[in-house]
Amino acid sequence: MDFAFGAGYVLDFSNRTFKAFFGELGIDIEAPAYSMDGDSKGKRLRAVLSLVDDATAIRALEALWLNRSEFLIRSVRTDPVPNAEGRFLALLERLRGASQTTVAPPVLPVPPEGYEQDLLKEQLLTIRDMAPQARGYAFEQFLTRLFRCSGMAPNEPFRNLGEQIDGSFVFLGEVYLVEAKYERAPTGVGDLHAFDGKVRDKATWTRGLFVAFEGFTDVGLHAFGRGKAVVLMTGWEIRDMLDRRIPLGEVLSRKVRKASENGRPFNPLGELFKQQ
């Protein structure tokens, strides 16, 4: 991620504020080890990120990202880096995955930036041209592949007595049931209530993700109400997520948190990730 604007410059830090910024992170930015490639702020920053452990690098990058966002606002600049936030979040996800392997390797490795995104996007677009029954099955398979690429250990669709479940996955230790709906029209309240009933019928800690490619009707969202253990997502949000290379885990994390804050099961990706 581009935090250095121009040769040797890092955002609008002076020497004094640059030292104070890293001092708050417990890093002596003026230590000789960080000047091995040169004494400019940009070169010292790159040295820090290459020498410190992953956890410290993550803390430094998160703090720098906050300062970078405020810098762009103050200077009334458009972001010079395409898909900056998505690429930054993907970088943090890879670093977190790498740091975890020293303690307990994850079930599935975190994919590198851009891994399979283009193939997934192409697959998502081709589903639209299929026959209705084939579309539904292909959409389920697409979501399973997306969850697998995101390290979420998905299960294929399964059937319990009297009900069909379109799959499940694990995210941050929570089990989510999946409902996949690929129809030409937005989904109404009947399907939402039916899936909510399936989730409520399971263990109390179970959550649900309902993905409707064409989204949801306004009347359906209003009638569905608040306070559900179900998060809603559209196919167009997934396409936007893939275009912007935003990790699925980050999208779900923000959707879940916003739903906890405002009670609404559907919080659009465009409101959670502002375009810069």
CSV table of all heavy atoms in Angstrom, one decimal, residues 216-237:
chain,number,residue,atom,x,y,z
A,216,PHE,N,-33.5,-7.8,-2.5
A,216,PHE,CA,-34.7,-8.0,-1.7
A,216,PHE,C,-35.6,-6.8,-1.9
A,216,PHE,O,-35.2,-5.7,-2.1
A,216,PHE,CB,-34.3,-8.1,-0.2
A,216,PHE,CG,-33.2,-9.1,0.1
A,216,PHE,CD1,-31.9,-8.7,0.1
A,216,PHE,CD2,-33.5,-10.4,0.4
A,216,PHE,CE1,-30.9,-9.6,0.4
A,216,PHE,CE2,-32.5,-11.3,0.6
A,216,PHE,CZ,-31.2,-10.9,0.6
A,217,THR,N,-36.9,-7.1,-1.8
A,217,THR,CA,-37.9,-6.1,-2.0
A,217,THR,C,-37.9,-5.2,-0.8
A,217,THR,O,-37.6,-5.6,0.3
A,217,THR,CB,-39.3,-6.6,-2.2
A,217,THR,OG1,-39.7,-7.3,-1.0
A,217,THR,CG2,-39.4,-7.6,-3.4
A,218,ASP,N,-38.2,-3.9,-1.0
A,218,ASP,CA,-38.3,-2.9,0.1
A,218,ASP,C,-39.4,-3.4,1.1
A,218,ASP,O,-39.2,-3.3,2.3
A,218,ASP,CB,-38.6,-1.5,-0.4
A,218,ASP,CG,-37.4,-1.0,-1.2
A,218,ASP,OD1,-36.3,-1.4,-0.9
A,218,ASP,OD2,-37.6,0.0,-2.0
A,219,VAL,N,-40.5,-3.8,0.6
A,219,VAL,CA,-41.6,-4.3,1.4
A,219,VAL,C,-41.2,-5.5,2.2
A,219,VAL,O,-41.5,-5.6,3.4
A,219,VAL,CB,-42.9,-4.6,0.6
A,219,VAL,CG1,-43.9,-5.3,1.4
A,219,VAL,CG2,-43.4,-3.3,-0.1
A,220,GLY,N,-40.4,-6.4,1.6
A,220,GLY,CA,-40.0,-7.6,2.3
A,220,GLY,C,-39.0,-7.3,3.4
A,220,GLY,O,-39.1,-7.8,4.5
A,221,LEU,N,-38.1,-6.4,3.2
A,221,LEU,CA,-37.1,-6.0,4.2
A,221,LEU,C,-37.9,-5.3,5.4
A,221,LEU,O,-37.5,-5.6,6.5
A,221,LEU,CB,-36.1,-5.0,3.6
A,221,LEU,CG,-35.1,-5.6,2.7
A,221,LEU,CD1,-34.2,-4.5,2.1
A,221,LEU,CD2,-34.2,-6.7,3.4
A,222,HIS,N,-38.8,-4.5,5.1
A,222,HIS,CA,-39.6,-3.8,6.1
A,222,HIS,C,-40.4,-4.8,7.0
A,222,HIS,O,-40.4,-4.8,8.2
A,222,HIS,CB,-40.5,-2.8,5.6
A,222,HIS,CG,-41.4,-2.1,6.6
A,222,HIS,ND1,-40.8,-1.1,7.4
A,222,HIS,CD2,-42.7,-2.2,6.9
A,222,HIS,CE1,-41.8,-0.7,8.2
A,222,HIS,NE2,-42.9,-1.3,8.0
A,223,ALA,N,-41.0,-5.8,6.3
A,223,ALA,CA,-41.9,-6.8,7.0
A,223,ALA,C,-41.0,-7.8,7.7
A,223,ALA,O,-41.4,-8.3,8.8
A,223,ALA,CB,-42.8,-7.5,6.0
A,224,PHE,N,-39.8,-8.0,7.2
A,224,PHE,CA,-38.9,-9.0,7.9
A,224,PHE,C,-38.5,-8.5,9.3
A,224,PHE,O,-38.3,-9.2,10.2
A,224,PHE,CB,-37.7,-9.3,7.0
A,224,PHE,CG,-36.8,-10.4,7.5
A,224,PHE,CD1,-37.4,-11.6,7.9
A,224,PHE,CD2,-35.5,-10.3,7.5
A,224,PHE,CE1,-36.6,-12.7,8.3
A,224,PHE,CE2,-34.6,-11.3,8.0
A,224,PHE,CZ,-35.2,-12.5,8.3
A,225,GLY,N,-38.3,-7.2,9.4
A,225,GLY,CA,-38.1,-6.6,10.7
A,225,GLY,C,-36.6,-6.6,11.1
A,225,GLY,O,-35.7,-6.8,10.3
A,226,ARG,N,-36.4,-6.4,12.4
A,226,ARG,CA,-35.1,-6.3,13.0
A,226,ARG,C,-34.8,-7.5,14.0
A,226,ARG,O,-35.7,-8.3,14.3
A,226,ARG,CB,-35.0,-5.0,13.7
A,226,ARG,CG,-35.1,-3.8,12.8
A,226,ARG,CD,-35.2,-2.5,13.6
A,226,ARG,NE,-35.3,-1.3,12.8
A,226,ARG,CZ,-34.3,-0.5,12.5
A,226,ARG,NH1,-33.1,-0.7,13.1
A,226,ARG,NH2,-34.4,0.5,11.7
A,227,GLY,N,-33.6,-7.4,14.5
A,227,GLY,CA,-33.2,-8.4,15.6
A,227,GLY,C,-33.2,-9.8,15.1
A,227,GLY,O,-33.4,-10.7,15.9
A,228,LYS,N,-32.8,-10.1,13.9
A,228,LYS,CA,-32.6,-11.4,13.4
A,228,LYS,C,-31.2,-11.9,13.6
A,228,LYS,O,-30.2,-11.1,13.6
A,228,LYS,CB,-33.0,-11.5,11.9
A,228,LYS,CG,-34.4,-10.8,11.6
A,228,LYS,CD,-35.5,-11.6,12.3
A,228,LYS,CE,-36.9,-10.9,11.8
A,228,LYS,NZ,-38.0,-11.6,12.5
A,229,ALA,N,-31.0,-13.3,13.5
A,229,ALA,CA,-29.7,-13.9,13.5
A,229,ALA,C,-29.3,-14.2,12.1
A,229,ALA,O,-28.5,-15.1,11.8
A,229,ALA,CB,-29.7,-15.1,14.4
A,230,VAL,N,-29.9,-13.4,11.2
A,230,VAL,CA,-29.6,-13.6,9.7
A,230,VAL,C,-29.0,-12.3,9.1
A,230,VAL,O,-29.5,-11.2,9.4
A,230,VAL,CB,-30.9,-14.0,9.0
A,230,VAL,CG1,-30.7,-14.0,7.5
A,230,VAL,CG2,-31.5,-15.3,9.5
A,231,VAL,N,-28.0,-12.5,8.3
A,231,VAL,CA,-27.4,-11.4,7.6
A,231,VAL,C,-27.7,-11.6,6.1
A,231,VAL,O,-27.7,-12.7,5.6
A,231,VAL,CB,-25.9,-11.4,7.8
A,231,VAL,CG1,-25.2,-10.3,6.9
A,231,VAL,CG2,-25.5,-11.2,9.2
A,232,LEU,N,-28.1,-10.5,5.4
A,232,LEU,CA,-28.5,-10.5,4.0
A,232,LEU,C,-27.4,-9.9,3.1
A,232,LEU,O,-26.8,-8.9,3.5
A,232,LEU,CB,-29.8,-9.7,3.9
A,232,LEU,CG,-30.9,-10.1,4.8
A,232,LEU,CD1,-32.2,-9.3,4.5
A,232,LEU,CD2,-31.3,-11.6,4.7
A,233,MET,N,-27.3,-10.5,1.9
A,233,MET,CA,-26.3,-10.1,0.9
A,233,MET,C,-26.9,-10.3,-0.4
A,233,MET,O,-27.7,-11.2,-0.6
A,233,MET,CB,-25.0,-10.9,1.1
A,233,MET,CG,-23.9,-10.4,0.1
A,233,MET,SD,-22.3,-11.4,0.4
A,233,MET,CE,-21.8,-10.7,2.0
A,234,THR,N,-26.5,-9.5,-1.4
A,234,THR,CA,-27.0,-9.6,-2.8
A,234,THR,C,-25.9,-10.1,-3.7
A,234,THR,O,-24.7,-9.9,-3.3
A,234,THR,CB,-27.5,-8.3,-3.3
A,234,THR,OG1,-26.4,-7.4,-3.6
A,234,THR,CG2,-28.5,-7.6,-2.3
A,235,GLY,N,-26.2,-10.6,-4.8
A,235,GLY,CA,-25.2,-11.0,-5.8
A,235,GLY,C,-24.4,-9.9,-6.3
A,235,GLY,O,-23.3,-10.0,-6.6
A,236,TRP,N,-25.1,-8.7,-6.4
A,236,TRP,CA,-24.4,-7.5,-6.9
A,236,TRP,C,-23.4,-7.0,-5.9
A,236,TRP,O,-22.3,-6.5,-6.3
A,236,TRP,CB,-25.4,-6.4,-7.3
A,236,TRP,CG,-26.4,-6.9,-8.3
A,236,TRP,CD1,-27.7,-7.2,-8.2
A,236,TRP,CD2,-26.0,-7.1,-9.7
A,236,TRP,NE1,-28.2,-7.6,-9.4
A,236,TRP,CE2,-27.2,-7.6,-10.3
A,236,TRP,CE3,-24.9,-6.9,-10.5
A,236,TRP,CZ2,-27.3,-7.9,-11.7
A,236,TRP,CZ3,-24.9,-7.3,-11.8
A,236,TRP,CH2,-26.1,-7.7,-12.4
A,237,GLU,N,-23.6,-7.2,-4.7
A,237,GLU,CA,-22.6,-6.9,-3.7
A,237,GLU,C,-21.4,-7.8,-3.8
A,237,GLU,O,-20.3,-7.4,-3.7
A,237,GLU,CB,-23.2,-7.1,-2.2
A,237,GLU,CG,-24.2,-6.0,-1.9
A,237,GLU,CD,-24.7,-6.2,-0.4
A,237,GLU,OE1,-25.3,-7.2,-0.2
A,237,GLU,OE2,-24.4,-5.3,0.4
